[in-house]
Amino acid sequence: MPVNLFEIDDLGDAYVSSNAIILIVWGGEGTLLVDGHEQDLSRGTTFLSNALTQMELRIESRSPLRGIGIEYRCLTPDGSSPEGLHYPIPLQRVPAGLLRLAVEFKHIWMEPQLSSPFQAQQLFAQLLQGLSEELAARQQPSHSWVDQSLHYMDAHYNEELTREQMAEQAGVSPEHFSRTFRKHTGRTFNAHLTLLRIRSAQQLLLIGTPNLNTLAQQVGYKEGLYLSRKFKESVGLSPSAYRHSRKTIVTLDSNHTASLIALDITPELGVYTSWLEQFHSKKKLKSRQKFNPYIHTPATYYEALASVRPDLIISYSHAEVNKSLLPLAPVMELPLMTMSWRDQFILIADIVNKRLKAEEWLAKHDQMMDAVNHRLDRDLGARGTAIVWEIGSHAAYCFSSSFGRGCQILYDDLGFQPPGKLLEQGIVAKGYIEADIEAIASYPADYIIFTSMPSCPDSRLRFDRLLRSPKWRSLDAVKHNRVYYLNEPELFYGYDPLSTQAQLRELLNALTPHEINLYRGLSKMSDRV
C-alpha cells in the first residue's frame, strides 16, 4: 500500500523512514547516500529497500535530478512480517516501460481522479510487479557470453555463421552453447539466425524492391531461390506477395501514428496523444486500437502487441524494447534526430505504398509555406532569433529543429535563427538544452515562446520568480511584447505532418500582427491540403 510520495530533485537534508522505499530516477545525475554509503544515480537507476530497518537517505544532485521516492507498507493475510522488494545496490538501466509507469503513478498520486479512486493503487501494483520481474531476471545466473553472442549475431547475421564458430568464440562446447542459447532465447541458434535474416529481408522489401539474388546476399543467403523458400516458410508469403500485401501495422510513437493518418491509414494498434485522438475522432477509434505504452510491464507490453498479430511494427531506433519484438514482426526503426519529419513521412509512405500521396501532401504544404513566408516578409521583415521553451516539473527545455516542438517550423521553414548562446552550447548536436527555470532569462532572443507551462506548485513558484526578476524584465522580447504563452504541450510534442501543420497555425496566430486574417487564410489553404 503506497503511503507517501516525494520528489528526489535534491534531498539535501536526510530523509529517514522505517517504511519500504522505492526510488526511481528518470533524469539527471547525482549521488545517493544510504546510511553513509555512496551510490551513483542516473536515468534508469532504481533503489529498493525493505522495511526491516530504519534507513537514512540523502541525495545530492550533480545535474538536476528528476524522479520520485515511494514509501509503502506491506500487509499479509496471516499477519506475518512482510519485507517488500529489496536489493543491496541500486538497479541500473531499468526498462523504459517501468520509468514511464512511475511517471504516470506520480501524476495520478498528485492529481487523483475522483472518477477512478483506485487508479493509483492499480498503477502501483503494476509497478511492483514489473520491478519484481526485473529483480528476478537480474538474480538469475548470468550468461554474459550469450548476450555477447546475440550482439555479435545482430551485427553479423548477413555473414557465414555456424554454431561451432559461435561456440568457439564464446569459449564453450557446441552442445553447451546450444542448450544455454535455447534456454536464454527460447529459440535454437539456427532459428534465431533465420529470424534475423528474414526480418531484415522484410524491412528491405518494404523500402524497395531489390533483385531477389541481391536481397539474398544482403541478408546472408547465397541465392534468391533459397531465400524465397525460407521467407515463405517464415512469413507464409513469397517476398513479392509480401511487398504488395495489405499489412496489420502497429505504431509505437504518436508521430508515426499521425503520419499514417495523414495517408488515410489507421494502424491496427497505435500510440495517440489526446490531441491526436481528438483530431482523429471522426474515425471513432475503438479502444483496442489505442496503445498506451506507459501502463505496461515488459510482459504485458509484448502481450498487447501480440494480440493484434502485427505484420509490421514502426518505432524509433532508440527504443530498448525493439529487439524483443522481432518474433512478432519486423520492426521498422526510424532514426531519432537525424531524420526530419518530412523524411520520416516519405519513408512511412514508401512502406505502405503511398509515396505519391505523401509527395502531393508535402507539395501543397510547401505551397502554403511560400504564401506564409510572403506574408511574414511584409509583416515582420527580418526574422531575427527565436527560442521555444517547455517548462517541466523541475527544469526548462529548449530545442533544435531536429527535436520538433515547433522549432522545425521556426528554424527550417520560417527563417528564424536559434540564439547564439544555444549554438555555443551545442544544441544542434544535442537536440535540446536543459536549464534551470530561473535561468531562462539568460537566453535572450527576439521572440520567446512557451509551449508548455508549469504544472506543479514548485515549478509554478519558480516560474513566477523568473517573471518577477529584473533580468527577465530587461529582455528586449519582454519589453516589446514578443513573449508568447501557448501552453499546448501535446500539440507541440508532435513531429509529424499533422502536428506540424497545427503548430504552424498556433505560431502564426501568436507572431503576426494580423493574426486573425492570416489565420483564416491559412485555415482555408490547409483545409485544401
Side-chain angles (χ1 to χ4, degrees), residues 27-302:
E29 294 182 346
T31 302
L32 170 68
L33 290 88
V34 183
D35 292 335
H37 300 285
E38 291 189 2
Q39 305 283 357
D40 286 334
L41 296 177
S42 60
R43 174 178 167 79
T45 301
T46 299
F47 175 71
L48 307 170
S49 76
N50 59 29
L52 294 183
T53 58
Q54 191 174 70
M55 193 164 280
E56 180 179 292
L57 306 175
R58 188 189 301 272
I59 295 176
E60 298 173 354
S61 299
R62 292 194 293 273
S63 65
L65 275 168
R66 299 183 302 285
I68 56 173
I70 305 171
E71 286 187 77
Y72 66 102
R73 293 177 185 155
C74 303
L75 308 174
T76 57
D78 60 2
S80 59
S81 299
E83 297 183 5
L85 297 178
H86 179 70
Y87 201 65
I89 60 173
L91 303 175
Q92 303 295 337
R93 297 184 298 278
V94 302
L98 292 178
L99 301 186
R100 294 192 293 263
L101 196 57
V103 171
E104 186 168 1
F105 172 77
K106 172 196 167 184
H107 291 322
I108 295 300
W109 182 270
M110 297 181 71
E111 298 180 12
Q113 305 295 316
L114 295 178
S115 59
S116 303
F118 301 108
Q119 191 172 7
Q121 185 70 44
Q122 180 184 17
L123 289 172
F124 182 67
Q126 292 175 350
L127 181 62
L128 281 179
Q129 178 66 26
L131 288 170
S132 177
E133 292 173 359
E134 182 68 16
L135 197 57
R138 296 191 184 211
Q139 290 174 325
Q140 291 176 352
S142 173
H143 297 297
S144 59
W145 65 260
V146 179
D147 293 328
Q148 291 172 8
S149 297
L150 288 169
H151 288 308
Y152 187 87
M153 292 176 73
D154 287 341
H156 300 276
Y157 65 86
N158 57 346
E159 301 173 8
E160 187 73 32
L161 292 181
T162 65
R163 181 192 69 156
E164 288 69 24
Q165 175 187 350
M166 296 298 297
E168 182 180 358
Q169 188 180 93
V172 297
S173 70
E175 293 73 20
H176 182 65
F177 179 92
S178 293
R179 287 193 303 271
T180 308
F181 188 93
R182 183 164 191 167
K183 182 177 180 181
H184 189 80
T185 66
R187 291 179 293 279
T188 65
F189 165 76
N190 284 331
H192 187 72
L193 181 60
T194 298
L195 177 67
L196 293 177
R197 288 173 171 175
I198 296 303
R199 292 297 186 239
S200 177
Q202 287 175 286
Q203 292 180 31
L204 291 169
L205 284 166
L206 289 171
I207 58 176
T209 51
N211 173 275
L212 196 57
N213 284 324
T214 302
L215 178 62
Q217 292 167 12
Q218 284 179 308
V219 301
Y221 293 123
K222 292 182 179 179
E223 49 91 21
L225 286 177
Y226 186 74
L227 165 64
S228 185
R229 180 165 66 82
K230 298 294 288 185
F231 193 100
K232 194 165 185 177
E233 287 176 2
S234 299
V235 182
L237 297 170
S238 68
S240 177
Y242 172 79
R243 174 72 180 95
H244 298 98
S245 65
R246 182 184 179 280
K247 296 171 184 64
T248 299
I249 301 175
V250 167
T251 54
L252 300 184
D253 190 277
S254 58
N255 292 331
H256 307 144
T257 305
S259 291
L260 286 177
I261 292 172
L263 297 169
D264 295 329
I265 296 174
T266 300
E268 187 68 21
L269 192 67
V271 174
Y272 290 79
T273 62
S274 59
W275 177 84
L276 181 58
E277 190 175 339
Q278 184 178 7
F279 178 92
H280 199 42
S281 61
K282 61 184 179 181
K283 296 290 186 181
K284 296 182 178 178
L285 288 172
K286 300 174 182 176
S287 59
R288 66 178 176 82
Q289 294 175 296
K290 295 178 286 187
F291 180 60
N292 183 354
Y294 304 108
I295 64 174
H296 289 284
T297 65
T300 61
Y301 189 102
Y302 186 94

Side-chain angles (χ1 to χ4, degrees), residues 443-515:
Y443 294 83
D446 296 315
Y447 297 85
I448 301 175
I449 300 162
F450 293 95
T451 60
S452 176
M453 301 298 287
S455 59
C456 67
D458 178 63
S459 59
R460 283 195 290 266
L461 182 64
R462 294 172 65 185
F463 189 68
D464 184 62
R465 198 156 50 228
L466 164 74
L467 300 185
R468 294 175 184 272
S469 68
K471 191 171 184 178
W472 169 259
R473 293 180 176 180
S474 68
L475 294 177
D476 284 343
V478 177
K479 291 180 179 178
H480 295 94
N481 295 318
R482 293 197 296 262
V483 180
Y484 309 99
Y485 305 95
L486 304 184
N487 200 27
E488 293 279 359
E490 285 205 346
L491 167 60
F492 278 90
Y493 173 81
Y495 190 59
D496 59 77
L498 302 180
S499 299
T500 294
Q501 194 170 86
Q503 291 166 15
L504 175 62
R505 296 179 188 178
E506 292 293 322
L507 290 169
L508 290 178
N509 253 353
L511 293 171
T512 57
H514 309 295
E515 65 271 10

